[in-house]
Amino acid sequence: MKYNFFLNLIRKVAFIILKCIFFIRVEGKENIPEGPFIICANHRSYLDPVLIILIFDRRVYFMAKSELFRIWWLAPIIKAFGAFPVKRGKSDIGAIKKAIEVIRSGNILGIFPEGKRNRTKEIILKGEKGVATVIKATGVKVLPVGISGKIVPFGRIRVRIGRPMEFRDNCMDNQEIVDTIMNEIKELILK
């Protein structure tokens, strides 16, 4: 699904503004598949979902922590761009069902498997298993995305889009699937 005219205009203007503040380099756009898929990216800052929304021309539906939907001015904005709430720290069956519905409707789902922003010195955190549940339920491709660089004015930000990964008919357990995805994201960051 594409963004409507108004949201698309906001995206274009926001990207121009961000490119004036940061040096943004995007690599691997040729790897973006057709049809539904899941974007799995590392999560270092509040800017990460914005970058993905601006880079991908089709609408990306994101799982976002439920606390964001309690902020009166932010909730309508993130809902307009396709975010839906997930309760962190526990298994949120409602959010998993919504994620599966997004995929089965032919859309793109965006997930940060780390489950929270990485504020450590580690390159990447261990991924949560919820994304593997969605992958197994839908058989959809996973598009790994590595975001690196400094989120400071005039800092260099690189968004590297990897090749789609498939886990169809795979006998891996959920943690193995997530670990494989996280390792691929880490490789994209380090390249």
Side-chain angles (χ1 to χ4, degrees):
M1 174 185 280
K2 293 262 187 189
Y3 291 98
N4 67 35
F5 175 80
F6 181 67
L7 291 178
N8 204 36
L9 181 64
I10 291 172
R11 287 177 60 246
K12 302 285 184 196
V13 171
F15 201 47
I16 291 168
I17 292 169
L18 276 183
K19 284 189 138 196
C20 292
I21 300 171
F22 305 103
F23 297 106
I24 301 171
R25 187 173 79 206
V26 179
E27 300 172 9
K29 281 190 94 167
E30 68 278 3
N31 293 327
I32 300 173
E34 297 293 320
F37 59 91
I38 300 173
I39 297 169
C40 286
N42 60 309
H43 194 16
R44 303 171 320 115
S45 80
Y46 287 119
L47 191 59
D48 299 332
V50 174
L51 285 168
I52 290 174
I53 287 169
L54 299 180
I55 290 167
F56 288 82
D57 292 330
R58 289 173 49 208
R59 180 186 289 263
V60 179
Y61 293 82
F62 274 101
M63 284 186 172
K65 64 181 180 178
S66 57
E67 296 88 349
L68 296 177
F69 292 86
R70 293 188 206 120
I71 302 170
W72 70 270
W73 61 271
L74 182 60
I77 295 169
I78 61 176
K79 282 181 188 175
F81 280 97
F84 60 94
V86 62
K87 294 175 190 144
R88 297 186 308 162
K90 55 183 142 187
S91 183
D92 186 343
I93 300 302
I96 297 291
K97 286 181 180 177
K98 175 67 177 171
I100 292 168
E101 177 187 314
V102 164
I103 293 297
R104 289 190 175 151
S105 297
N107 296 302
I108 302 171
L109 176 68
I111 296 180
F112 298 105
E114 291 166 298
K116 60 185 175 186
R117 283 179 293 126
N118 181 357
R119 298 179 187 184
T120 72
K121 293 188 189 273
E122 298 293 321
I123 295 168
I124 201 161
L125 301 176
K126 184 174 180 176
E128 301 288 332
K129 294 185 274 189
V131 67
T133 303
V134 178
I135 293 166
K136 284 184 171 180
T138 61
V140 74
K141 293 178 182 176
V142 174
L143 191 67
V145 175
I147 304 169
S148 59
K150 296 198 178 212
I151 311 292
V152 295
F154 308 111
R156 294 185 184 279
I157 300 172
R158 185 180 67 187
V159 181
R160 179 171 274 154
I161 301 166
R163 290 199 171 107
M165 304 169 73
E166 292 193 59
F167 296 94
R168 293 176 192 228
D169 302 323
N170 200 308
C171 59
M172 298 168 81
D173 69 27
N174 285 6
Q175 192 62 57
E176 288 174 306
I177 290 172
V178 175
D179 290 346
T180 301
I181 293 166
M182 299 309 288
N183 286 335
E184 185 62 26
I185 294 170
K186 185 175 182 179
E187 289 298 316
L188 291 168
I189 294 166
L190 293 174
K191 281 185 183 176

